[in-house]
Amino acid sequence: VVFSSIEIMKFPHNFVAIAKILDAAGENWTISKQAREVVNFGFYAAEGKLTKQFMDRVVEGAKALGVKRLIVTECGHAYDALRFHAANIYGEQLPFEVTHITAVIGELLQAGRIKLKKGAFDNGKTITFHDACKIQRRGGMMKEPRMVMKQIAPESFKEMVPNNEDAWCCGGGGGVISIDAATPVRMAAFGIKVDQMRDVKADTVVMSCSNCRLQFLDGVKHFNLDVEVTGLAQMVADALEG
């Protein structure tokens, strides 16, 4: 299991949430000292040599452990780099599967290896889901979050429009969130998400990317919105039965 630096710095409770999910399913999992942090700043900068240098740390760490799967947690950028680019960079398939915690949650639910409390978040408040560019729109993991919502918030969940593959970027992707000078532009882009949340009268917005989550937190503060921002894994962990 590999985490992003955003999670480590801003959302450390994701460690606990994901550990609870994997332990509840009886998964055999670990974290590598060498390869625990997965953000690739060479990939952000479109610099090939640095991209591979950052990848080497993760790939070699996973090889040393002999893992069958590398689970990227709530980071779209890291998932994109490893899942869709690493094999081309190395000129061969990686000796392990690269997947995302969103896909893992879907698999565990379908197999009955984790169970969620029905209607755990049906509390009279509206919950919506943001489709992240790298995880849902590129990665195709659109049914898994809806599978979760149908179980934990069947009455409270409402889709923003457009959604799934037609969803709009939150405005913080591609490293823009790290550029102070880009703040006015990314807040202007976030205005689209503000309108979508207001249209469904959202009280809570959920996502599976920590970069998006940080952008939403900044945007909610900027626009003075009374909206809770949270992660998919956190909601799943909080709704686990047993």
Side-chain angles (χ1 to χ4, degrees), residues 89-233:
I89 289 171
Y90 284 96
E92 60 184 9
Q93 289 295 320
L94 297 178
F96 47 80
E97 177 192 357
V98 176
T99 189
H100 190 272
I101 190 62
T102 303
V104 173
I105 287 169
E107 292 169 10
L108 296 177
L109 277 175
Q110 284 187 312
R113 294 178 59 196
I114 59 171
K115 296 186 183 301
L116 304 180
K117 298 170 188 172
K118 303 296 183 183
F121 287 92
D122 277 336
N123 53 12
K125 295 185 177 182
T126 300
I127 298 172
T128 194
F129 182 79
H130 164 68
D131 291 287
C133 296
K134 300 295 188 181
I135 301 164
Q136 276 78 44
R137 293 172 62 206
R138 178 170 173 80
M141 298 172 207
M142 291 169 283
K143 69 178 187 299
E144 292 88 349
R146 275 84 188 175
M147 188 189 311
V148 171
M149 292 300 143
K150 284 179 182 177
Q151 293 195 34
I152 67 175
E155 303 296 328
S156 301
F157 179 62
K158 192 170 183 180
E159 292 274 17
M160 287 188 282
V161 178
N163 53 60
N164 287 275
E165 63 268 24
D166 296 323
W168 284 86
C169 174
C170 66
V176 175
I177 200 167
S178 303
I179 304 171
D180 287 342
T183 299
V185 177
R186 69 181 177 93
M187 287 299 110
F190 188 75
I192 296 171
K193 306 307 295 187
V194 172
D195 291 340
Q196 292 173 356
M197 288 187 287
R198 283 175 173 162
D199 285 345
V200 298
K201 297 180 173 57
D203 297 293
T204 299
V205 59
V206 186
M207 58 215 66
S208 56
C209 174
S210 291
N211 191 74
C212 293
R213 190 171 172 183
L214 196 57
Q215 166 75 345
F216 267 81
L217 285 171
D218 286 351
V220 162
K221 182 178 180 181
H222 178 82
F223 286 95
N224 195 29
L225 304 178
D226 186 18
V227 177
E228 180 188 8
V229 180
T230 190
L232 183 69

Side-chain angles (χ1 to χ4, degrees), residues 18-53:
I18 290 166
K20 283 178 66 177
I21 294 167
L22 297 177
D23 284 350
E27 283 283 0
N28 180 14
W29 67 280
T30 189
I31 297 173
S32 163
K33 289 182 180 180
Q34 176 183 345
R36 67 186 182 277
E37 202 284 316
V38 76
V39 170
N40 192 314
F41 290 98
F43 192 57
Y44 270 132
E47 211 294 320
K49 185 177 179 180
L50 282 176
T51 296
K52 186 174 183 301
Q53 183 178 329

